[in-house]
Amino acid sequence: MANEITVPLLPCRSIDEIVDFYTMLGFTRTYYQVRPNPYVSLKREDLQLDFFGMPDFEPEDSYGTCVVLVPDTGELFDAFAAGMRKAHGRLLVSGIPRMTRPRKRKNAENRSGFTVIDPGGNWIRIMSAAPRPAGNDPAAGKLTTTLNGAVVMGDSHGKHQRAAQILDAALERDRDTATLTELAQALAYRAELALRAEDPTAARDALTRARALPFSESEHTELAETLAALEDIEAMLPPEPQP
């Protein structure tokens, strides 16, 4: 048999909160009921997600997750990010809900991947359908290798503090040998991890170090996505305490 369709069915505390969030990302509500049990279906082109409501459910304790394979993670990320920015004025990179940026996942055949964590605490893992050929990373030095491992820890497993520890050690070890590109990418991710761990001081420190790197004009162009990530992180920072 062929042409089977699988629809994830995920828990949430409020189906109305889920509808608002996914509508922001470009989904359309296709089914909705409150009784006898809260239930909603949402669809965006061929991607369908269904949710059931549990009023006492705690999103922080959710194990709900699914994998969505797509031809181009960058295109979908850009569409989701545009919806977030229109609704909130910024990309949500910490807390619940939030969204990670597309990054290579060494634990998934080097596929590009990003994750949407919705208001129900569900991890919608968006992955490239095609593996990325190994060995084509121009910045694959020691710091990049460690960064790839930290991404698995932080983005795949949600262990933000452990990922930060790994990255801090590598930034200290490789600060004099890593390229500016490697340092910028590592510091941008370090700042994002700090936000997720509710550590704005560490986030500001990583941002300051990244901004101080002496990029050439060509490096600025090459690092456009990384520099955009820094702006997204900066927009999420709370105001600095006044002395």
Side-chain angles (χ1 to χ4, degrees):
M1 182 179 291
N3 301 316
E4 295 90 343
I5 297 174
T6 298
V7 178
L9 179 56
L10 301 165
C12 65
R13 184 164 50 196
S14 164
I15 58 173
D16 290 330
E17 192 176 29
I18 286 290
V19 169
D20 289 344
F21 178 77
Y22 281 99
T23 299
M24 173 186 71
L25 299 184
F27 285 72
T28 300
R29 191 183 79 181
T30 58
Y31 181 80
Y32 179 92
Q33 75 172 36
V34 177
R35 296 181 180 84
N37 302 299
Y39 190 97
V40 66
S41 296
L42 296 135
K43 194 166 186 180
R44 187 185 191 280
E45 297 179 335
D46 293 330
L47 173 54
Q48 181 175 336
L49 300 171
D50 286 15
F51 299 87
F52 60 96
M54 301 171 61
D56 297 328
F57 184 75
E58 294 294 337
E60 294 81 2
D61 298 331
S62 178
Y63 286 91
T65 188
C66 68
V67 174
V68 179
L69 299 178
V70 300
D72 186 345
T73 55
E75 180 180 340
L76 193 58
F77 173 84
D78 288 344
F80 286 177
M84 281 188 179
R85 290 191 174 99
K86 183 177 180 181
H88 297 281
R90 62 187 186 275
L91 191 66
L92 304 179
V93 298
S94 66
I96 298 177
R98 68 178 183 274
M99 183 169 68
T100 68
R101 303 186 78 87
R103 297 185 178 95
K104 184 176 71 173
R105 304 292 178 85
K106 73 171 190 176
N107 61 334
E109 300 180 277
N110 290 319
R111 298 170 193 263
S112 172
F114 71 96
T115 302
V116 174
I117 294 90
D118 68 25
N122 302 295
W123 286 47
I124 314 302
R125 303 170 188 267
I126 314 293
M127 301 294 295
S128 173
R132 181 177 171 182
N136 63 347
D137 190 340
K142 289 177 64 177
L143 182 55
T144 295
T145 299
T146 304
L147 172 60
N148 292 339
V151 166
V152 172
M153 191 66 63
D155 285 10
S156 294
H157 302 310
K159 297 183 178 180
H160 318 312
Q161 293 179 337
R162 180 57 186 143
Q165 291 170 350
I166 292 170
L167 209 47
D168 282 342
L171 282 164
E172 178 64 24
R173 180 195 68 208
D174 302 324
R175 61 182 177 178
D176 296 326
T177 56
T179 66
L180 292 182
T181 295
E182 288 184 288
L183 288 169
Q185 292 171 344
L187 287 166
Y189 189 53
R190 181 63 183 91
E192 185 175 323
L193 290 170
L195 271 187
R196 293 187 210 166
E198 300 182 353
D199 187 352
T201 300
R204 288 191 184 94
D205 177 68
L207 283 171
T208 299
R209 291 168 65 188
R211 299 279 193 207
L213 294 172
F215 301 124
S216 66
E217 186 174 339
S218 62
E219 285 167 333
H220 264 284
T221 302
E222 177 188 351
L223 289 166
E225 290 187 13
T226 300
L227 297 175
L230 294 176
E231 292 178 4
D232 288 329
I233 294 162
E234 196 164 31
M236 289 289 291
L237 283 171
E240 288 194 70
Q242 296 299 314

